[in-house]
Amino acid sequence: MSTAAAVKPAATEYAKDYDKYVSLVPEGDVVKTLEAQLDSTLSFLRSLNPDQGDNRYAPDKWSIKEVVGHMIDAERIFAYRALRFGRNDQNALAGFEQEDYIQSANFGARDLADIIDEFESVRRSNLYLFHNLDDSAWMRTGNASDNEVSVRALAYIMAGHELHHVGVIKSKYLAADLRE
């Protein structure tokens, strides 16, 4: 275990907007957290009825399929940033517009099970990356979306982003199902 991965990043290691995600992640080794999340999130998502994938809790909100698709897109981007900065690449990286990604991805045309399988594959790939970083790589920083961010913070952001969106699915989408 990397000692750097076991300590939450300082607030100076990421943009303030990401605090809502980092704050959700429990203390301890973030790689172990990402591993545990995979099992719990897959179990939860696979318990959904395939028809629930198209549910929206309001007309202008993403469907569950789109939320999971967004989790995949964001996880890929966070991991790409972690790879670049972990390898000491100091080139600034652009941000991404999540609404444009959702509109272009066409997650609604796919089966929920297929999207869930893709999430599993992406997370497993990212776990290989994080498992093999040394302490110096964890502490490297780079510029993404005009903000300095550490590799360690990116792993915590990834974990917290998933926790946030799974929580939204449970509290808003499934609660809406119960009200109908």
Side-chain angles (χ1 to χ4, degrees), residues 75-95:
E75 181 141 336
R76 281 188 168 122
I77 290 166
F78 298 146
Y80 177 69
R81 292 172 177 175
L83 171 67
R84 296 274 304 265
F85 303 152
R87 301 293 193 257
N88 211 21
D89 183 337
Q90 292 301 302
N91 291 300
L93 301 177

Side-chain angles (χ1 to χ4, degrees), residues 7-26:
V7 178
K8 273 195 175 187
T12 57
E13 292 180 51
Y14 56 90
K16 180 141 181 63
D17 290 349
Y18 288 117
D19 192 53
K20 66 183 174 185
Y21 301 138
V22 173
S23 67
L24 294 174
V25 182

Side-chain angles (χ1 to χ4, degrees), residues 41-49 113 116-118 120 124:
T41 297
L42 289 175
S43 177
F44 165 65
L45 291 174
R46 288 181 173 145
S47 74
L48 298 176
N49 177 313
I116 295 167
D117 289 346
E118 183 179 355
E120 179 179 16
R124 290 197 189 285

Side-chain angles (χ1 to χ4, degrees), residues 54 63 65-66 105-111 115:
D54 294 316
S63 69
K65 289 180 191 177
E66 289 169 329
N106 202 20
F107 290 114
R110 294 174 55 192
D111 292 330
I115 297 169

Side-chain angles (χ1 to χ4, degrees), residues 157-171:
I157 292 166
M158 184 184 291
H161 186 260
E162 177 183 339
L163 287 167
H164 167 77
H165 284 293
V166 168
V168 168
I169 292 170
K170 289 177 179 178
S171 67

Side-chain angles (χ1 to χ4, degrees), residues 19-147:
D19 192 53
K20 66 183 174 185
Y21 301 138
V22 173
S23 67
L24 294 174
V25 182
E27 295 292 335
D29 183 359
V30 71
V31 178
K32 290 186 186 313
T33 298
L34 290 164
E35 289 172 337
Q37 280 182 319
L38 180 59
D39 293 335
S40 63
T41 297
L42 289 175
S43 177
F44 165 65
L45 291 174
R46 288 181 173 145
S47 74
L48 298 176
N49 177 313
D51 294 335
Q52 287 177 296
D54 294 316
N55 289 3
R56 300 169 192 274
Y57 69 87
D60 60 338
K61 296 299 180 181
W62 295 342
S63 69
I64 290 176
K65 289 180 191 177
E66 289 169 329
V67 171
V68 178
H70 166 69
M71 289 166 51
I72 294 166
D73 286 348
E75 181 141 336
R76 281 188 168 122
I77 290 166
F78 298 146
Y80 177 69
R81 292 172 177 175
L83 171 67
R84 296 274 304 265
F85 303 152
R87 301 293 193 257
N88 211 21
D89 183 337
Q90 292 301 302
N91 291 300
L93 301 177
F96 73 104
E97 177 47 56
Q98 62 188 17
E99 293 295 337
D100 293 343
Y101 275 52
I102 292 299
Q103 290 175 7
S104 299
N106 202 20
F107 290 114
R110 294 174 55 192
D111 292 330
L112 179 60
D114 182 56
I115 297 169
I116 295 167
D117 289 346
E118 183 179 355
F119 173 77
E120 179 179 16
S121 294
V122 169
R123 173 57 62 89
R124 290 197 189 285
S125 175
N126 293 335
L127 285 169
Y128 277 105
L129 170 66
F130 290 129
H131 270 293
N132 292 293
L133 295 176
D134 62 20
D135 280 344
S136 62
W138 278 100
M139 299 309 296
R140 288 187 186 120
T141 62
N143 186 293
S145 301
D146 297 321
N147 292 287

